[in-house]
Amino acid sequence: MSLQEQLHELFLLDQQLRGLRNRLDAGQSRQRAQQNKLVQLQQQQQELSHQLRQTQVNAQTLEKQSGEMEARINELRGRMNNVTSNKEYSALLVEVNTLKVDKSKIEDQALEQMNEVDTLKQRVTDIEQKIDDQKKLVSGADNEVDSARAEVGDRLDEVASKRQAAAEKVPADARAVFERLADSYEGEALAEVEEANRRRMEYNCGGCYMSLPIERVNGIMMRTNELVTCPNCNRILYMKPELKSALSGAK
């Protein structure tokens, strides 16, 4: 097997392996995204629940203050019925009126807090529903990953083993070039030679779509144990057997 054939075999196995890994990675990525969204919703629920409890405490405190003021007003009214001087009566009346104003303000604040309690209760209910819905999405994503692992797992190990065996057949220097290009181009280390016009001997790189010098095309035909690369993108060039056969017959 020539170097070009070894590299093409490695290229095909590398693509298979990357495809299987990408499928599993995509499912895991969706799983993480759904889980992260669930965590965010649960954090919002905790914050709203804390805010609700605090608002309920504030409302209860204000209601207690209002009740204490009402008791004080009733006490003062009782004393007013028993006073004997206008001065003392007037002083008690001023205090009663002041307390009534303050009590009215407290009651308004308490009403605002109770309205806020109702609003927060509805928000908590809404987010709890969102959490339930999100848990279903998380469960679906978990099932998708489990399914992908079950389907891809054995195949992934098999292809990885074949890729390793194919890589070991390639000379170290050529393998290093392949691995570097595979990392740079997300697995597209090789590029097919595409025929644009045979009569005018025009050919393009299938990776970057730039024109190829005819000597590069001839190099693939004649030097099968050498790396022939695109002068523009540096991908390793290969030619389909049909085109190679057609060009060989044309010479």
Side-chain angles (χ1 to χ4, degrees):
M1 184 182 290
S2 69
L3 176 60
Q4 290 181 8
E5 291 171 330
Q6 291 173 348
L7 287 168
H8 190 247
E9 179 186 37
L10 177 58
F11 170 64
L12 294 178
L13 288 168
D14 184 75
Q15 286 195 316
Q16 288 183 48
L17 184 60
R18 287 174 185 269
L20 291 170
R21 284 174 174 167
N22 287 342
R23 181 178 173 187
L24 189 57
D25 290 345
Q28 291 173 332
S29 178
R30 286 190 290 272
Q31 181 188 43
R32 287 192 297 270
Q34 297 294 359
Q35 184 61 43
N36 288 340
K37 188 172 181 181
L38 176 61
V39 170
Q40 291 174 358
L41 288 171
Q42 290 172 331
Q43 289 175 343
Q44 291 177 29
Q45 180 196 34
Q46 291 176 356
E47 292 170 0
L48 283 173
S49 296
H50 174 75
Q51 189 176 349
L52 173 59
R53 289 191 296 270
Q54 188 60 51
T55 305
Q56 288 173 325
V57 169
N58 292 342
Q60 292 169 358
T61 299
L62 291 168
E63 288 178 340
K64 181 180 179 181
Q65 290 175 356
S66 176
E68 291 172 348
M69 287 181 177
E70 181 65 26
R72 176 61 176 168
I73 289 171
N74 290 334
E75 177 189 348
L76 292 173
R77 282 174 174 166
R79 288 173 57 186
M80 288 170 66
N81 292 330
N82 299 320
V83 298
T84 57
S85 70
N86 288 335
K87 183 177 180 181
E88 186 178 359
Y89 182 88
S90 297
L92 291 172
L93 182 60
V94 168
E95 187 175 354
V96 167
N97 289 335
T98 300
L99 283 170
K100 289 169 77 173
V101 171
D102 291 342
K103 180 174 176 289
S104 178
K105 292 178 180 178
I106 291 294
E107 288 174 342
D108 289 342
Q109 293 174 9
L111 181 60
E112 289 178 2
Q113 291 295 297
M114 290 307 299
N115 289 336
E116 181 66 12
V117 165
D118 292 338
T119 299
L120 288 170
K121 282 182 177 179
Q122 184 58 53
R123 290 180 65 186
V124 168
T125 298
D126 292 343
I127 203 164
E128 285 175 345
Q129 181 60 54
K130 289 181 179 179
I131 287 174
D132 288 340
D133 294 340
Q134 188 60 31
K135 284 181 177 179
K136 294 176 183 177
L137 293 176
V138 169
S139 178
D142 290 343
N143 291 336
E144 181 183 349
V145 170
D146 290 341
S147 177
R149 281 177 178 156
E151 185 175 346
V152 171
D154 292 341
R155 180 65 177 154
L156 189 66
D157 292 339
E158 178 187 351
V159 175
S161 178
K162 288 182 177 180
R163 185 200 184 281
Q164 179 63 28
E168 291 174 355
K169 297 177 185 177
V170 179
D173 54 346
R175 184 168 66 245
V177 173
F178 176 89
E179 299 292 2
R180 176 175 54 79
L181 290 170
D183 289 340
S184 298
Y185 291 111
E186 298 182 352
E188 298 296 329
L190 270 63
E192 179 186 351
V193 173
E194 297 179 345
E195 188 176 49
N197 189 299
R198 188 178 303 177
R199 293 188 63 183
R200 293 201 298 264
M201 294 186 294
E202 294 176 353
Y203 301 90
N204 299 326
C205 170
C208 63
Y209 309 108
M210 299 297 289
S211 297
L212 292 172
I214 189 62
E215 57 268 19
R216 298 287 173 120
V217 178
N218 290 334
I220 297 172
M221 298 285 294
M222 305 300 295
R223 302 191 300 274
T224 59
N225 282 312
E226 295 181 16
L227 287 180
V228 180
T229 60
C230 171
N232 182 64
C233 67
N234 293 319
R235 287 180 175 91
I236 300 168
L237 296 171
Y238 75 95
M239 191 180 297
K240 283 187 175 180
E242 310 89 80
L243 179 57
K244 185 178 288 190
S245 177
L247 293 179
S248 296
K251 291 184 178 181

